Amino acid sequence: MADFRRFWFQALVRHALEAMSLIALCTTTHAADYTGPLFDAHLHYNEEAWDGRSGPHPPADVLARMKASGVRAIVANSRPNAGSLTLAGLPRTREAGVAVVPFVRLYRNRADYTGWFADDTIYDMVQTELARGTPAGPYRGLGEFHLYDSANANGPVAKKLMALAEQRDLVVLAHVDDTAIDLLMANTPSQGQKARLIWAHTGIGGAPVERVDALMARYPGLVGELSYRPGLVCDDSQLCPAWRALLLKYPTRFVVGSDTWVNQRWQHYESLMQGYRQWLGGLPADVARKVAWDNAAGLFGVARP
């Protein structure tokens, strides 16, 4: 009987210790939500949100959402480019403490999504915008652009723009698959060794982690942006193990973004940013800080607020 009691006592102690460890882990996870500044490296201020005169998300609204979310810098790329120019030029943006890094978007309208890679008027528009600049200073990048067929990475305008980006030290923001990453990089003077490309969604089609790893190893200037990435976050609102391992392997190569491509994304902006804060909190503090802020800030020379 004494042995039986001892066995159950030991079992109860083990169970209690496991429960206490679980409670401590959960408490730590929630308490560790990242609280530092965020750099939104994929933001659109399209005409559906605000066309310069009217819309559901005027500048005061979107800046308030950024401020409430602790977003202190953005990569602004908009359809048309007037949206980015608006944010770059407003005194209210500076008052909100938001730094604007402007990109030239390749789209004047929705029709441009499907043919920009072979449209010389797009190349001319990019040259005009680069020459004009913005109230926040020179444009720092090109994109976001989409390739729904990876073969179009070899379109004549796509080739010219990739070469131009590397020659002008511009960062490219590309919504493409993993095959197109190789093709785009091959069209740069350095064959992708000096090009700087932010891969929107790090493969929205779900390129395997092993393939992402191989591309990161091949192209030193490839940066993964993590909005909409399939398989990134597991049921506990933390990074899935394979993705956690990848971010720890390449801590300087990932950034976060909102991708406010439709107005619904603006309506949920704060919760999107909070979602990032949750899983960033599960990373080592120095890695979380890099992914949340330092990596994007380092690309563009933006000082920490």
Side-chain angles (χ1 to χ4, degrees), residues 247-277:
L247 266 67
L248 292 177
K249 183 175 181 178
Y250 298 103
T252 63
R253 303 282 293 281
F254 289 96
V255 297
V256 298
S258 60
D259 191 13
T260 47
W261 69 286
V262 290
N263 287 341
Q264 286 87 344
R265 298 287 284 184
W266 279 118
Q267 292 160 14
H268 299 287
Y269 190 86
E270 294 89 336
S271 62
L272 292 171
M273 295 297 110
Q274 182 55 34
Y276 283 129
R277 290 187 180 279

Side-chain angles (χ1 to χ4, degrees), residues 27-107:
T27 304
T28 302
T29 299
H30 288 295
D33 283 0
Y34 172 77
T35 59
L38 292 174
F39 195 127
D40 185 343
H42 185 167
L43 182 142
H44 306 295
Y45 196 35
N46 293 336
E47 60 185 356
E48 293 87 7
W50 180 252
D51 66 5
R53 298 176 303 278
S54 62
H57 298 288
D61 174 77
V62 298
L63 289 168
R65 292 175 186 274
M66 292 178 212
K67 189 172 182 178
S69 302
V71 171
R72 301 299 301 275
I74 60 172
V75 166
N77 67 110
S78 309
R79 173 184 41 78
N81 286 297
S84 299
L85 296 174
T86 294
L87 289 177
L90 284 175
R92 184 176 288 168
T93 304
R94 293 185 291 277
E95 292 165 5
V98 176
V100 176
V101 176
F103 274 34
V104 182
R105 192 93 191 267
L106 307 189
Y107 306 147

Side-chain angles (χ1 to χ4, degrees), residues 8-30:
W8 277 108
F9 178 75
Q10 289 171 344
L12 285 169
V13 169
R14 282 198 302 271
H15 179 75
L17 288 171
E18 287 170 2
M20 288 170 66
S21 297
L22 247 165
I23 292 167
L25 179 61
C26 292
T27 304
T28 302
T29 299
H30 288 295

